[in-house]
Amino acid sequence: MNNLLAMKFGGTSVGSAARMKAAGDLIALEAAKRPVVAVVSAMSKITDLLLDVAKHAEADDQTAIDGGIELLEARHFEAVQELLPATERLRVHEQIEEITGDFRRIVSGMQMLGYRPPRAVDEAIAVGERLSALLVSEYLKSIGLASEAVNASEVIVTDAVFGNASPMLRETREKAEAKLRPLLDRGVIPVVTGFNGATADGRPTTLGRGGSDFSAAIVAAVLDAAELWIWTDVDGIMTADPRLVPGAKILDEITYSEAAELAYAGAKVLHPRTLAPLVEKKIPVWSKNSFAPEKPGTRIVPALGAGNGGARAVTSMANVALVSLEPANTGVGGVHVMARAIDALDSAGVELLALSSSSYRQSFCLLIRKEDLEAATQAIETALALELAHGYVHGIEVDQNVGLLAVVGEGMRGFSGLAGRIFTAISREKVNIIAIAQGSSELTISIVVRRDGLEKAVRAVHAECHLA
Ligand code: ASP
Ligand code: MG
């Protein structure tokens, strides 16, 4: 079915009855022309709420648990009231209660244990998506379309890394063929829960916060969809964060690699892992605004046409920290120390945002998210315990007063003089550059600057690269 359209709706795009209607109507519009599979996030803020209740369960705070569940049900009951005809409401209320009943059961288990096992957390937080999928699917039915809500735990097969699972595409394809294809063949619109999956032996998992984009890409890839449309609340992917750079503009087109680099470097348009499943099949993606569907949005494609040289966008991350390590003398292999430190970060699940080292690999620094700092220093200290204890490696230094700026563009490759202009633009603002990293693909130049100079530097680079 190569004209299949996959459509994903984020939390704000299904955040209320009005938004669910808008989403359902966008689905209906396309479903009149071709087969559609929808993937939905939980209603905005619901995942946070579910996670909070799980915490309260661990702490055995009954009042907070009850309050949270009440809020959860109220938000969805309220949506049903506005979304569905009176004749359907009671039935859907019962279905909501069935799903929230699962949540209550998991939460009381946590309360009893005084502990939140990661797999139970994953099952608990998938409830948000199960509820929104139910409601969107019911709305589609109420306007005369055939639809079925599908729990992705029956479709997306993952490894057992709870909270941040990765899909197993071959197994997922089999399940999608068995579960989703027959629906599509019968003209039924599946509304699949974003964010969650299950291991091959059925244990519930989630794909990481914001993972519904990733879910949609997985579903699109295994069903060989023709396109994936990702509906959010912004007009598309921009040359910079418009809150920092008032002149930032929407990009018409961007490549998979550029979009992925931007996502990893802090642009909040797409979940960073989203595009990987689509690359092999070259499935194009549109990032569109469900609040302004008439706007074209940004098209994400395998490669750009000619004339798109130079930098395309600049992004930044403020909540980062620089961790530096330095062997005490040249007798200690810097590369070896670096390898061990990086390996330790990887094992601890800490993502390395940028890495830079001196020419003899003797002193090097690792850029990570601030939220990962404790896990990162602990992991490195454990991995290098012996070297640290014997003074072969100087103590780990942490600098939290930094920010990351990343300039992205496939066309920067072989574009001489660009790096020089970027550095000059930053120093003209009297912002000190602390570290620089550029991979040999020349797709991204990452620059670490003092935190208080970050915004200024972003604006300067945006202007220097004529991105507006
Ligand atoms: N609801 C999940 C979250 O808030 C997944 C998503 O929205 O993409 O993280
Ligand atoms: Mg989301």
Side-chain angles (χ1 to χ4, degrees), residues 8 10-11 41 210 212:
K8 183 264 171 176
S41 290
S212 295

Side-chain angles (χ1 to χ4, degrees), residues 8-12 40-48 51 125 128-129 194-196 208-215 271:
K8 183 264 171 176
F9 293 87
T12 51
V40 293
S41 290
M43 294 178 80
S44 45
K45 306 265 167 19
I46 289 296
T47 309
D48 289 334
L51 281 165
I125 59 183
E129 271 72 10
F195 191 36
N196 72 323
R209 291 308 305 271
S212 295
D213 288 346
F214 194 26
S215 304
H271 184 272

Side-chain angles (χ1 to χ4, degrees), residues 45-334:
K45 306 265 167 19
I46 289 296
T47 309
D48 289 334
L49 173 66
L50 297 170
L51 281 165
D52 276 348
V53 174
K55 273 187 213 144
H56 296 316
E58 188 173 69
D60 196 15
D61 183 344
Q62 191 66 52
T63 320
I65 298 171
D66 293 343
I69 296 180
E70 203 172 300
L71 216 65
L72 174 71
E73 290 187 329
R75 183 98 183 268
H76 291 87
F77 287 154
E78 204 178 288
V80 164
Q81 202 63 25
E82 253 184 80
L83 191 65
L84 300 177
T87 48
E88 308 305 317
R89 289 180 203 150
L90 189 60
R91 180 180 55 82
V92 177
H93 267 223
E94 282 169 7
Q95 283 178 279
I96 290 175
E97 277 168 350
E98 218 171 281
I99 298 173
T100 57
D102 282 346
F103 184 68
R104 284 176 197 275
R105 178 179 52 76
I106 304 162
V107 160
S108 60
M110 291 175 179
Q111 202 176 355
M112 232 141 47
L113 289 171
Y115 169 61
R116 288 169 287 163
R119 86 160 256 192
V121 171
D122 278 359
E123 186 175 6
I125 59 183
V127 158
E129 271 72 10
R130 287 170 63 197
L131 291 167
S132 60
L134 168 69
L135 266 48
V136 170
S137 175
E138 287 295 336
Y139 175 68
L140 290 174
K141 288 195 243 175
S142 76
I143 57 170
L145 294 168
S147 174
E148 191 175 311
V150 176
N151 187 340
S153 66
E154 292 178 50
V155 176
I156 295 181
V157 183
T158 71
D159 61 18
V161 181
F162 300 103
N164 194 29
S166 295
M168 294 156 73
L169 290 179
R170 194 168 44 82
E171 291 81 349
T172 302
R173 177 180 298 274
E174 278 169 24
K175 291 222 172 190
E177 284 302 327
K179 178 84 198 169
L180 301 178
R181 188 73 72 192
L183 295 175
L184 293 166
D185 286 345
R186 291 198 337 256
V188 178
I189 303 168
V191 181
V192 184
T193 58
F195 191 36
N196 72 323
T199 61
D201 58 359
R203 289 170 291 159
T205 55
T206 59
L207 304 170
R209 291 308 305 271
S212 295
D213 288 346
F214 194 26
S215 304
I218 295 164
V219 167
V222 298
L223 289 173
D224 297 317
E227 282 182 25
L228 167 60
W229 293 9
I230 295 185
W231 293 96
T232 66
D233 54 9
V234 293
D235 288 343
I237 299 178
M238 302 191 74
T239 54
D241 183 339
R243 287 165 303 183
L244 300 187
V245 184
K249 69 169 211 280
I250 305 287
L251 290 155
D252 301 335
E253 258 191 354
I254 186 168
T255 68
Y256 289 142
S257 314
E258 290 169 341
E261 289 285 329
L262 284 174
Y264 276 107
K268 290 191 180 63
V269 276
L270 276 184
H271 184 272
R273 293 203 282 171
T274 304
L275 298 165
L278 305 168
V279 171
E280 189 191 334
K281 298 245 174 63
K282 298 192 165 60
I283 300 173
V285 183
W286 285 90
S287 165
K288 290 168 85 75
N289 188 352
S290 79
F291 293 75
E294 68 290 349
K295 295 198 175 151
T298 300
R299 191 173 144 86
I300 308 170
V301 293
L304 289 181
N308 281 303
R312 314 278 334 276
V314 51
T315 184
S316 61
M317 278 172 107
N319 292 316
V320 293
L322 199 62
V323 176
S324 305
L325 276 169
E326 192 178 340
N329 58 63
T330 47
V332 181

Side-chain angles (χ1 to χ4, degrees), residues 258 304 307-313 407-413 415 418 421 442-443 465 467:
E258 290 169 341
L304 289 181
N308 281 303
R312 314 278 334 276
V407 194
V408 173
E410 294 219 37
M412 299 198 303
R413 198 171 298 143
F415 203 98
L418 190 62
R421 276 173 41 211
E442 297 182 46
L443 184 57
C465 295
L467 295 176

Side-chain angles (χ1 to χ4, degrees), residues 377-390:
T377 46
Q378 251 176 36
I380 296 174
E381 271 163 9
T382 310
L384 298 175
L386 220 57
E387 287 84 348
L388 287 165
H390 292 284

